[in-house]
Amino acid sequence: MKRLFLLAAIGLLLFVSACGTEKTASAEKKEMTVGFGVGTYEEQFRKGILPILEEKGYKVDIKTFSQNMQVNPAMKEGSIDASVFQSTAYMEGINEQLDMDMKGITFVPTAPQGLYSQKHTSLEDVKDGTTVALPNDPVNQERAVRILEELGWVKVKADAGTTDFNLSSVEPDQYDISFKVLDPAQILVSLQDVDYGIINGNYIANAGKKITDALKIENTPKQHRIIVSINKENENKQWAKDLKAAYESEEFDKYIKSQDKYDGFILVDSDKK
């Protein structure tokens, strides 16, 4: 009799434990808040990713910040769960600066930088004193200067950083270029004031223009391609896995390829090769 009672007790305990596990699984978070800076990445998410997540039963809150520098502090304080606006290089710099532990879980279709002009139709017009507008944040500025370096217009010192880049690392090469440093979002509307401007491609696409119209397009290295960022402690959460899967899905790939505005973007599948 005691043995039967013991077996029954063990069975009941296992049943209760299983129910508890099932309850925990069913209580898995089905809500997320995703943060964005200004540009096309929110539209990609809203039209291409949100329907996939909603079909899985997620309630998603989208927060758009007027300045990129506001996004990561929001992640640190917990008001957003994920962000889509920054590169790996930028994220790593912020991790150190703000004592955070963010991780990129996948790439997103990324707009390369390009060299544009309203005054010139050719790169051959460059000369000493030519004015070039550059982004004011270190990471995007380093990217921009590498385009000029590839053209042979400037030289970049070997010890130039990325997240701490500044123009003291730049020297004349074939030409003595004059730089005008602006907020990245302002360069497009300031092209009439300079000879050339290096513009992040998401601003070009957002303005209804074509990335492929650039006089020179960046060969964007992976460290500068846009990622989905989360706090590392969440990387094994189901919502994070589902968010990653949505960006890597065939459904999202088809959406991006069906939109002319994303011509010239570096696609997610190109980063998995």
Side-chain angles (χ1 to χ4, degrees):
M1 181 66 71
K2 287 183 178 180
R3 184 178 180 187
L4 288 174
F5 179 79
L6 181 60
L7 290 173
I10 293 173
L12 180 61
L13 183 62
L14 290 173
F15 175 76
V16 171
S17 177
C19 287
T21 302
E22 183 178 344
K23 192 171 184 179
T24 300
S26 64
E28 179 75 42
K29 178 176 178 178
K30 298 293 282 188
E31 297 181 356
M32 69 178 80
T33 301
V34 186
F36 299 86
V38 178
T40 59
Y41 299 112
E42 180 194 338
E43 183 177 342
Q44 285 183 16
F45 182 90
R46 193 180 292 277
K47 294 185 178 180
I49 298 298
L50 185 59
I52 298 173
L53 295 175
E54 288 182 334
E55 189 173 343
K56 288 179 175 288
Y58 284 96
K59 180 182 177 182
V60 183
D61 184 22
I62 296 173
K63 284 191 175 183
T64 304
F65 297 83
S66 60
Q67 295 181 325
N68 286 348
M69 67 179 64
Q70 299 170 321
V71 185
N72 285 322
M75 177 91 79
K76 184 173 184 178
E77 71 179 22
S79 60
I80 62 174
D81 300 301
S83 70
V84 185
F85 83 102
Q86 65 187 339
S87 66
T88 302
Y90 186 87
M91 180 192 70
E92 289 175 349
I94 294 295
N95 273 344
E96 184 175 345
Q97 185 180 38
L98 298 183
D99 191 26
M100 296 181 67
D101 192 16
M102 291 183 289
K103 178 177 181 177
I105 56 174
T106 191
F107 291 101
V108 310
T110 297
Q113 284 188 342
L115 184 70
Y116 298 84
S117 178
Q118 287 184 1
K119 295 182 177 180
H120 307 284
T121 59
S122 169
L123 297 175
E124 301 301 318
D125 294 338
V126 63
K127 59 185 179 181
D128 287 344
T130 287
T131 55
V132 179
L134 302 177
N136 62 1
D137 67 280
V139 172
N140 281 311
Q141 191 173 100
E142 189 265 347
R143 290 173 61 188
V145 168
R146 295 296 179 183
I147 294 176
L148 303 182
E149 182 183 43
E150 186 177 343
L151 289 171
W153 294 8
V154 303
K155 293 179 181 178
V156 180
K157 294 179 182 178
D159 60 353
T162 300
T163 58
D164 59 348
F165 183 84
N166 62 72
L167 290 177
S168 65
S169 297
V170 182
E171 300 174 338
D173 191 352
Q174 297 179 31
Y175 305 99
D176 188 5
I177 302 297
S178 177
F179 298 116
K180 186 170 184 178
V181 178
L182 300 170
D183 181 274
Q186 295 302 311
I187 298 177
L188 177 59
V189 297
S190 301
L191 281 180
Q192 70 272 13
D193 300 323
V194 294
D195 291 300
Y196 301 95
I198 297 180
I199 305 172
N200 288 13
N202 61 314
Y203 298 120
I204 294 293
N206 209 41
K209 301 180 183 298
K210 287 188 174 293
I211 290 173
T212 50
D213 288 339
L215 296 174
K216 173 68 177 177
I217 296 176
E218 170 193 46
N219 181 20
T220 313
K222 280 194 173 184
Q223 66 170 340
H224 290 314
R225 296 179 190 176
I226 303 302
I227 54 176
V228 178
S229 306
I230 62 170
N231 286 316
K232 191 174 181 180
E233 64 186 26
N234 293 323
E235 66 178 316
N236 292 318
K237 300 287 182 62
Q238 189 59 47
W239 65 263
K241 294 178 180 178
D242 288 339
L243 179 57
K244 178 179 187 292
Y247 270 102
E248 296 176 358
S249 67
E250 184 177 349
E251 182 179 347
F252 180 60
D253 184 61
K254 286 181 178 178
Y255 163 73
I256 292 294
K257 290 177 178 177
S258 72
Q259 305 297 307
D260 290 343
K261 74 181 300 178
Y262 298 123
D263 286 350
F265 276 59
I266 303 164
L267 302 184
V268 175
D269 55 7
S270 68
D271 294 292
K272 295 189 291 183
K273 292 177 181 177

